Amino acid sequence: MDCEDSDAVTIAQALAWASAELQDGESPAVDSRVLLCAVLDCERTYLFTWPDKALSEAQYTRFKNLIAKRREGYPVAYLTGTRDFWSLTLNVNESTLIPRPETELLVETALALELPESACVCDLGTGTGAIALALKTEQPAWQVTGVDRIAEALELAAANAQLNGQLEVNWLLSHWFAELPTDSRFDLIVTNPPYVESDSEYLQQGDVRFEPVSALTAGADGLEDIREIIQSAPDFLSPDSWLLIEHGYTQHESIKTLFAERGFSACRGINDLNGLPRITLAQWHKS
Ligand code: GLN
C-alpha cells in the first residue's frame, strides 16, 4: 500500500499500515485503533462500522505523526492526552504518572472499608487525581483531599474534577504531609507513592521511560517514601482510621514490619489478580 497517497487511505488501510509499523510493540492493533480514534475523535465501534471511509490529508498526517512517536515508545496515554480509570476519563500529561488499571484495586479496597458516612479521606501523591476522584464519585459525602507536590499535577487533577461532573475535592500543594494543617485528621489515608527500586531494570522498559522518575522511584529499596508516610501518618489519623498503600509485589513483608514498628494494627495485604500482594493496609487505633 502506498501510504504517501493520503487521498486513497481508508480507515482499514491506515490501521493495517499502523499495526505493521508498531509490530515490535506490545499491542500494535489496539494502539493503532486508540490513536486513530483520537485523530478522528470517534468511538472504537466507528472504525469497525466504516472501514472504507477515507481519512482527510490532515487526519492521515496527524495519525502518521502519532504512530511515529508510538514507534519511539512514547506512551499512548500521553499521545491521546487521556486515560480511563474506574468510571472516569482523565486528562494526563507528562507531569504525572499515567493511572494504572491495578490501582483500581486500591479504590475497591478503600470503598470496602467501614468508614463514617462523611469520612475525611486523603489521597497522598494524587497525580491526575485518579484515586481521589474515583472515591469522591462513589462516595459523594466523603470529604476528599488530594495532595501532590507538583503544581502542574494539581492543576491537572483540578481540571479532571471539573471534567468528571464537577467533583468537589480539596487540592493541596504539599510534599506528603508537609503543608497539611497540623490539626487535619483523616479517617482514611490512601496512597500510590513511588515504590520502584532506583536501579530497577524495569525503568528502562516500555512506557515508564517517559514518566516522571519522581513518581516512580524511592531510593535503593523503593521504600523511602513509604517509610516517611508510615512514620508521619499517625499525626494526621483519627482514632480507628486506615492507611492504605499500593506497592510492588515483593514489598508487602517489609511494609508490614514498618506498620507494626509504628504501632499500627490489623495489618493485611490485598492480592491482585495474579495472587500477588500489591496493597497493604493497617489501622490506627490511638487518638
Ligand atoms: N505501579 C507503577 C508501575 O509498576 C509504579 C508506580 C509507582 O511507583 N507508584 O509502573
Side-chain angles (χ1 to χ4, degrees):
M1 169 179 120
D2 179 5
C3 283
E4 296 311 310
D5 182 5
S6 56
D7 289 343
V9 173
T10 64
I11 284 177
Q13 288 170 329
L15 287 175
W17 166 78
S19 290
E21 285 289 298
L22 301 180
Q23 65 186 344
D24 295 335
E26 274 176 30
S27 45
V30 172
D31 291 0
S32 302
R33 287 197 287 264
V34 171
L35 293 171
L36 189 53
C37 285
V39 169
L40 301 180
D41 192 18
C42 69
E43 297 290 327
R44 213 86 59 95
T45 50
Y46 182 90
L47 305 181
F48 298 108
T49 314
W50 305 106
D52 296 329
K53 206 169 165 65
L55 273 60
S56 72
E57 199 171 325
Q59 286 168 337
Y60 189 44
T61 301
R62 224 188 123 215
F63 185 56
K64 283 193 288 189
N65 289 339
L66 290 175
I67 295 297
K69 285 195 181 141
R70 182 60 187 146
R71 251 176 85 96
E72 289 163 17
Y74 207 64
V76 171
Y78 286 157
L79 291 172
T80 61
T82 62
R83 172 55 46 99
D84 287 351
F85 179 83
W86 199 252
S87 59
L88 314 167
T89 297
L90 301 170
N91 282 348
V92 298
N93 65 34
E94 289 169 56
S95 69
T96 180
L97 208 69
I98 300 163
R100 313 282 205 262
E102 60 259 37
T103 301
E104 293 181 350
L105 185 60
L106 198 63
V107 174
E108 267 172 46
T109 307
L111 292 171
L113 292 171
E114 270 185 39
L115 293 173
E117 176 124 6
S118 46
C120 287
V121 175
C122 180
D123 173 19
L124 278 184
T126 193
T128 58
I131 299 166
L133 295 171
L135 294 177
K136 184 67 183 176
T137 206
E138 295 297 329
Q139 289 289 352
W142 284 6
Q143 298 168 57
V144 181
T145 299
V147 171
D148 207 284
R149 73 184 169 98
I150 312 276
E152 208 185 331
L154 276 189
E155 279 168 29
L156 188 66
N160 281 329
Q162 291 309 306
L163 284 172
N164 287 279
Q166 300 182 328
L167 297 167
E168 264 184 55
V169 169
N170 172 35
W171 305 109
L172 182 76
L173 188 66
S174 172
H175 182 43
W176 304 134
F177 298 100
E179 305 303 327
L180 274 171
T182 51
D183 60 353
S184 306
R185 293 293 178 276
F186 297 100
D187 302 296
L188 167 66
I189 296 174
V190 61
T191 184
N192 175 19
Y195 52 73
V196 178
E197 296 88 345
S198 53
D199 63 352
S200 170
E201 280 178 18
Y202 169 70
L203 298 166
Q204 317 307 325
Q205 300 157 11
D207 288 9
V208 289
R209 290 171 298 160
F210 298 85
E211 293 181 289
V213 77
S214 64
L216 288 163
T217 67
D221 65 358
L223 293 171
E224 221 159 72
D225 288 293
I226 289 177
R227 258 185 229 104
E228 187 178 334
I229 291 167
I230 292 178
Q231 182 59 35
S232 304
D235 294 341
F236 298 92
L237 284 169
S238 308
D240 303 325
S241 55
W242 292 92
L243 174 56
L244 249 77
I245 303 176
E246 179 182 312
H247 52 76
Y249 67 92
T250 60
Q251 294 171 328
H252 168 68
E253 287 302 326
S254 311
I255 293 171
K256 206 169 145 185
T257 305
L258 291 170
F259 268 129
E261 285 171 355
R262 187 65 181 88
F264 281 82
S265 53
C267 181
R268 64 177 196 270
I270 307 284
N271 288 353
D272 65 9
L273 291 175
N274 297 315
L276 298 168
R278 294 295 309 279
I279 290 171
T280 300
L281 67 158
Q283 198 166 24
W284 183 252
H285 282 299
K286 302 165 206 169
S287 54

